[in-house]
């Protein structure tokens, strides 16, 4: 279908693409039209499209190999498109798909988190945490977030069970036995995050990686699997010594996530 773009979101992924830090996962050719998510109005639909028609207000997280939301129009398959929630502005809806699907996929498909388990989200006071916290609570998880003091009340209002101001308290000194860590900070926090996990606990990072576990779960080619294993070796070794499981990179929400 063809969508007339009314609003597109800018997020850290654009910077990662521009800096070349996602080359192992998706090696884009330049010049390139950026933009991973947008909201707009359906202009045209193909013969096989059902449930969506011309004039509908929709939002989408574009497939990794077909990004380009910073444009007047985008062409996208139906499986990556959903109707906007009633009452939402285009600007609000455009900021939902990537973050929302990343939070859901990370918790359900990568961490395989179960109700009553605890997830720690270091650096969860920003836009990712604002989406991840309600998703985690809807899944029945106990949620602990670290971040700046300005976001405390907002994150607690979204359902977080505990909020730690990183300027006043070191979470690795007060937490232990955590089931899952959903990292939004990167390699600098790896050792601290690993230390608070229980034996067999899982760590998923959005900013560190990728590693062998990611390659195996996403069935990448053998050459990429070797590269991912090399890139994440030191993290994998550290995790194995402590009996923890890690997935160091979350590539993109899958079609399977979109359908759930």
């Amino acid at each position: 279908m063809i969508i007339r773009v009314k609003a597109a979101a800018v997020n850290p992924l654009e910077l990662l693409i521009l800096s070349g830090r996602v080359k192992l996962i998706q090696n884009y050719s330049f010049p390139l039209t950026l933009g991973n998510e947008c909201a707009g109005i359906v202009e045209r639909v193909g013969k096989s499209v059902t449930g969506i028609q011309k004039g509908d207000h929709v939002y989408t997280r574009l497939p990794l190999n077909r990004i380009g939301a910073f444009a007047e129009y985008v062409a996208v398959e139906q499986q990556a498109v959903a109707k906007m929630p009633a009452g939402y502005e285009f600007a609000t809806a455009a900021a939902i798909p990537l973050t929302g699907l990343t939070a859901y996929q990370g918790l359900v498909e990568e961490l395989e988190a179960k109700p009553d388990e605890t997830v720690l989200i270091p650096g969860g006071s920003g836009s990712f945490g604002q989406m991840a916290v309600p998703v985690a609570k809807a899944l029945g998880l106990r949620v602990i977030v670290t971040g700046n003091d300005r976001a405390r009340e907002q994150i607690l209002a979204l359902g977080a069970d505990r909020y730690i101001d990183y300027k006043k308290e070191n979470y690795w000194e007060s937490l232990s036995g955590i089931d899952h860590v959903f990292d939004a900070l990167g390699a600098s926090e790896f050792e601290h995050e690993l230390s608070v996990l229980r034996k067999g606990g899982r760590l998923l990072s959005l900013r560190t990686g990728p590693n062998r576990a990611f390659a195996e779960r996403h069935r990448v080619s053998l050459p990429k699997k070797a590269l991912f294993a090399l890139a994440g070796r030191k993290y994998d070794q550290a995790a194995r010594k402590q009996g923890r499981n890690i997935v160091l990179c979350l590539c993109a929400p899958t079609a399977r996530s979109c359908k759930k």
Side-chain angles (χ1 to χ4, degrees):
M1 71 181 67
I2 304 296
I3 300 171
R4 177 158 53 94
V5 177
K6 299 293 288 184
V10 180
N11 57 71
L13 183 53
E14 269 69 57
L15 295 178
L16 294 176
I17 292 171
L18 286 173
S19 65
R21 291 178 62 187
V22 296
K23 273 189 175 182
L24 280 179
I25 300 168
Q26 188 74 33
N27 192 9
Y28 293 102
S29 298
F30 290 83
L32 173 70
T33 301
L34 293 170
N36 285 270
E37 56 185 340
C38 63
I41 301 172
V42 176
E43 287 286 311
R44 188 184 307 170
V45 298
K47 294 179 180 179
S48 62
V49 173
T50 59
I52 295 178
Q53 60 187 358
K54 181 178 179 179
D56 283 346
H57 291 191
V58 297
Y59 56 174
T60 176
R61 188 273 186 260
L62 298 173
L64 270 178
N65 62 348
R66 293 289 299 276
I67 67 171
F70 299 167
E72 292 184 68
Y73 297 89
V74 293
V76 59
E77 295 182 356
Q78 181 177 0
Q79 66 176 4
V81 177
K83 290 183 179 180
M84 283 171 44
Y88 274 50
E89 299 291 335
F90 287 111
T92 300
I96 294 174
L98 178 59
T99 306
L101 286 172
T102 297
Y104 181 86
Q105 183 192 18
L107 291 166
V108 174
E109 298 177 11
E110 303 292 344
L111 292 174
E112 298 179 351
K114 303 293 189 298
D116 298 323
E117 291 182 335
T118 298
V119 59
L120 168 67
I121 309 177
S125 60
S127 59
F128 175 71
Q130 292 171 26
M131 187 68 72
V133 169
V135 170
K137 295 305 296 183
L139 293 170
L141 299 171
R142 183 172 183 267
V143 184
I144 303 173
V145 175
T146 75
N148 58 60
D149 185 62
R150 295 191 307 274
R152 173 186 294 274
E153 296 306 317
Q154 182 181 27
I155 297 299
L156 289 174
L158 289 171
D161 298 277
R162 181 177 175 184
Y163 190 90
I164 299 175
D165 182 347
Y166 75 94
K167 291 185 177 181
K168 298 179 180 178
E169 180 182 353
N170 294 324
Y171 67 85
W172 57 90
E173 295 176 349
S174 60
L175 300 178
S176 62
I178 300 296
D179 298 297
H180 308 286
V181 173
F182 204 155
D183 164 59
L185 295 175
S188 62
E189 285 296 300
F190 179 76
E191 293 295 336
H192 291 150
E193 293 168 347
L194 205 61
S195 71
V196 304
L197 279 174
R198 64 170 173 78
K199 290 287 185 180
R202 292 188 173 188
L203 186 158
L204 171 63
S205 178
L206 299 178
R207 301 178 66 89
T208 306
N211 68 338
R212 180 183 292 275
F214 177 85
E216 292 174 348
R217 289 175 70 84
H218 292 269
R219 299 177 182 178
V220 302
S221 64
L222 287 177
K224 277 194 173 183
K225 183 176 180 180
L227 287 172
F228 288 7
L230 181 62
R233 183 193 302 178
K234 70 175 181 179
Y235 302 107
D236 287 336
Q237 290 176 341
R240 281 197 297 271
K241 287 181 181 179
Q242 298 188 39
R244 274 70 169 179
N245 301 308
I246 59 173
V247 179
L248 291 179
C249 184
L250 183 60
C251 180
T254 62
R256 185 169 74 256
S257 298
C258 298
K259 294 175 181 178
K260 287 186 177 181

